[in-house]
Amino acid sequence: MTDWMELEKKYYMRTFAHLRLPVVLVKGKGARVWDETGREYLDFVGGWAVNCLGHAHPVVVKALNNQAKKLIHTSNQFYTIPQLQLAEILVQQSCLNRVFFGNSGLEANEGAVKLARRYGKLKLNGAYEVITALGSFHGRSLAMTAATGQESFHVPYLPMPEGFINVNYNDIGAIKEATTAKTCAVMLEPIQGESGVIVPDDDYLKKVREWCDQKGILLILDEIQTGIGRLGALWGYECYGVEPDIMTLAKGLAGGVPIGALLAKESASVFIAGDHGSTFGGNPLACAAGHATMKYIIENKVTGHVVEVGTYLIERLKQLKDKYAFITDVRGRGLLLAVQFNSDLAQSVQMECLEKGLLVNKPKPNVIRLMPPLIINNKDVDRAIDILDKVFSGINK
Ligand code: PLP
């Protein structure tokens, strides 16, 4: 049998922070995946919050099959139907008015910042600075590395592109202090995912929205992790009673197919012909998967399901917290949840879970994150809790 891990060692750039777990996954169905030896795992990583309908969902598979037979790619020199169908559904279902498609989260965010700078040039006397939060994550291009408020991401690539001011998250005073005549936008995640599921105060985004209105600057919400039903509403902003001027999406949008989207209110939609573009962005194959995914989520009221199953999952996790003193926090919303420990236990918990057939993610040395497919049921939750309980009881000894 081919030793795939040896091939990886030999040929692949080893860039991933946590290095790969020692399994070669070959297929998936719903919330389950199988490795090359036939071992089954319950997937609570969900492709880093991408596989919102689980693996091989028939609706996504059918959309991809049908579209692949017809037209995979054309370029944006032409109109294509899936792109416009997806744009229509996104606008109809959100508070935004216009869409631009890319291929990933970082591209969506780059586009958002370009749009905000364009807005600054046209309407704010050339303002170009974007205030972002410490602990945020916005992607891996140079500009999005600068937007990402984590010094460890900056250091290997200094100097950083200018124009990003990183301030404390969940601190309206810090945003106010950092706002100057050069500020064109504030960019935030409704919940910080990569930092270990950091949930702000309920009124934080409202206060930021009010400040942006007062100053005439734009509010960009990076909903790459929180959007598409993850928090139990189609968009994270709905949970906090605000509307962004610009919103970015990626991850779950096409049920696993690479895609990114930048949405803007009409008032912020200031790009003109030639300002922005993409070869693959909005490609018919990805958009067909996106349209099928969105339609399924809306027609089947998946967000209501996320509220129910997410509430059950967090309740069961809180029971584990009551049982094990080394669990210091259980937090999150919908199906974006985290368990925090009093020491750096996350690596061993992750490995023990893997051993017992459960996939979890470790965003921080003392935090595991759960972001399963949105279609999991209470039995899946019970199975995951059972495995976590066994793993934790081993730690307790
Ligand atoms: N923004 C947020 C909030 C994310 O969680 C991520 C990825 O984890 C990104 C941006 C970057 O997305 P991508 O990896 O698709 O470029």
Side-chain angles (χ1 to χ4, degrees):
M1 201 155 75
T2 307
D3 189 337
W4 300 108
M5 292 179 214
E6 275 306 310
L7 282 196
E8 199 252 16
K9 257 190 217 146
K10 196 164 161 196
Y11 295 120
Y12 203 82
M13 288 192 194
R14 310 208 90 199
T15 65
F16 292 99
H18 317 303
L19 293 182
R20 299 178 203 254
L21 297 180
V23 283
V24 180
L25 296 179
V26 292
K27 70 171 186 180
K29 183 91 195 130
R32 283 171 169 68
V33 287
W34 287 265
D35 71 14
E36 58 175 346
T37 70
R39 247 200 106 190
E40 181 183 310
Y41 304 86
L42 181 58
D43 183 5
F44 269 44
V45 175
W48 289 339
V50 167
N51 301 101
C52 54
L53 300 185
H55 299 273
H57 194 285
V59 154
V60 179
V61 172
K62 188 171 162 207
L64 283 170
N65 265 328
N66 287 346
Q67 191 58 42
K69 279 188 244 160
K70 285 196 275 189
L71 188 66
I72 292 180
H73 183 78
T74 55
S75 88
N76 279 305
Q77 199 173 325
F78 306 97
Y79 296 88
T80 56
I81 296 166
Q83 183 184 95
L84 300 171
Q85 286 176 320
L86 180 56
E88 182 181 41
I89 206 168
L90 289 174
V91 168
Q92 283 175 350
Q93 296 292 328
S94 74
C95 66
L96 292 312
N97 307 106
R98 292 195 177 268
V99 184
F100 176 84
F101 292 112
N103 307 285
S104 65
L106 90 81
E107 273 184 61
N109 283 341
E110 283 272 347
V113 168
K114 283 176 76 180
L115 185 60
R117 284 197 178 190
R118 206 73 190 87
Y119 187 90
K121 271 221 177 342
L122 293 168
K123 308 207 176 195
L124 299 170
N125 298 318
Y128 64 93
E129 278 181 0
V130 177
I131 298 172
T132 67
L134 287 164
S136 61
F137 184 77
H138 297 295
R140 300 281 195 162
S141 64
L142 273 177
M144 285 313 107
T145 298
T148 291
Q150 302 190 51
E151 208 190 343
S152 60
F153 286 76
H154 299 181
V155 170
Y157 304 106
L158 292 171
M160 284 288 103
E162 67 163 320
F164 295 94
I165 315 290
N166 310 138
V167 304
N168 282 338
Y169 189 57
N170 198 25
D171 181 350
I172 182 65
I175 289 179
K176 288 184 177 176
E177 220 168 283
T179 306
T180 68
K182 287 194 239 162
T183 310
C184 66
V186 176
M187 177 158 91
L188 296 168
E189 295 158 83
I191 287 179
Q192 290 187 330
E194 296 306 298
S195 252
V197 189
I198 308 300
V199 184
D201 294 341
D202 282 346
D203 61 354
Y204 172 59
L205 286 183
K206 259 199 186 134
K207 287 182 185 160
V208 178
R209 175 72 272 178
E210 279 164 20
W211 178 249
C212 289
D213 287 343
Q214 203 176 315
K215 290 288 159 185
I217 57 180
L218 299 175
L219 174 61
I220 305 172
L221 288 184
D222 175 343
E223 294 248 18
I224 285 159
Q225 194 156 146
T226 53
I228 328 289
R230 178 65 44 193
L231 303 187
L234 205 47
W235 319 114
Y237 68 73
E238 294 174 86
C239 303
Y240 294 100
V242 296
E243 292 190 357
D245 301 294
I246 299 175
M247 170 170 79
T248 53
L249 303 172
K251 291 201 183 275
L253 179 54
V257 179
I259 194 167
L262 145 68
L263 285 83
K265 291 233 181 197
E266 200 65 58
S267 52
S269 202
V270 294
F271 278 151
I272 55 162
D275 276 356
H276 198 47
S278 170
T279 296
F280 285 117
N283 146 314
L285 192 71
C287 287
H291 184 244
T293 303
M294 285 301 299
K295 207 161 161 286
Y296 184 91
I297 289 176
I298 292 155
E299 286 176 0
N300 292 279
K301 302 191 171 35
V302 171
T303 51
H305 173 73
V306 171
V307 172
E308 276 172 32
V309 76
T311 303
Y312 182 59
L313 177 53
I314 201 163
E315 272 168 13
R316 301 262 1 233
L317 289 170
K318 283 181 177 162
Q319 286 165 7
L320 292 181
K321 178 175 178 287
D322 292 341
K323 190 167 167 187
Y324 298 102
F326 57 84
I327 301 179
T328 53
D329 196 19
V330 166
R331 58 175 176 259
R333 200 164 185 144
L335 285 174
L336 181 58
L337 300 173
V339 179
Q340 185 165 315
F341 309 112
N342 64 1
S343 61
D344 291 352
L345 287 171
Q347 173 78 14
S348 60
V349 168
Q350 186 185 40
M351 292 310 288
E352 284 297 314
C353 284
L354 180 75
E355 186 59 38
K356 293 180 170 40
L358 174 69
L359 307 183
V360 300
N361 170 253
K362 175 192 73 104
K364 295 277 159 196
N366 63 338
V367 177
I368 57 162
R369 178 174 44 165
L370 309 176
M371 41 191 168
L374 307 182
I375 47 83
I376 57 160
N377 56 36
N378 286 7
K379 267 175 81 178
D380 296 324
V381 170
D382 289 340
R383 172 104 192 97
I385 294 291
D386 192 43
I387 293 175
L388 285 169
D389 196 4
K390 286 201 175 89
V391 169
F392 293 158
S393 68
I395 290 168
N396 226 7
K397 273 177 206 158

